[in-house]
Amino acid sequence: MVQIVVTIKNPTGLHARPAAAFVQAAERFEAAVWLEKDDRRVNAKSILSVMSLGAKQGTSLKLVADGKDEAAAAATLRDLIERGLGEMVG
């Protein structure tokens, strides 16, 4: 199991478009992937679950990946968040 803390960088947070980009990337991996905020854990392969976190710019989330390709999943998803989920980061 891989667990890392990531911080949402894009100005609009995890609204529909960036959440969709994140979920699409997560779905490419066999590993189970979750996002945790406070005491909530959601399936990172579900757009509604990801959006339900209400993660805004500056929000820290724990990214958890567990399974065959967990390291690759965690690294790819961390990098996607670091790059702003397809949106301008400034």
Side-chain angles (χ1 to χ4, degrees), residues 9 21-23 45 49 54 67:
K9 299 197 182 289
F22 184 85
V23 169
K45 295 181 181 183
S49 295

Side-chain angles (χ1 to χ4, degrees), residues 15-45:
H15 69 87
R17 191 175 309 123
F22 184 85
V23 169
Q24 288 171 353
E27 288 175 335
R28 292 194 302 251
F29 297 96
E30 289 182 34
V33 183
W34 299 278
L35 286 174
E36 296 180 2
K37 179 183 173 202
D38 302 323
D39 60 349
R40 290 191 58 216
R41 175 184 263 203
V42 300
N43 179 352
K45 295 181 181 183

Side-chain angles (χ1 to χ4, degrees), residues 35-70:
L35 286 174
E36 296 180 2
K37 179 183 173 202
D38 302 323
D39 60 349
R40 290 191 58 216
R41 175 184 263 203
V42 300
N43 179 352
K45 295 181 181 183
S46 164
I47 191 164
L48 292 177
S49 295
V50 170
M51 289 177 58
S52 77
L53 291 173
K56 299 178 180 177
Q57 184 180 36
T59 300
S60 292
L61 303 171
K62 184 188 289 185
L63 171 64
V64 181
D66 188 23
K68 178 180 174 184
D69 52 359
E70 62 192 26

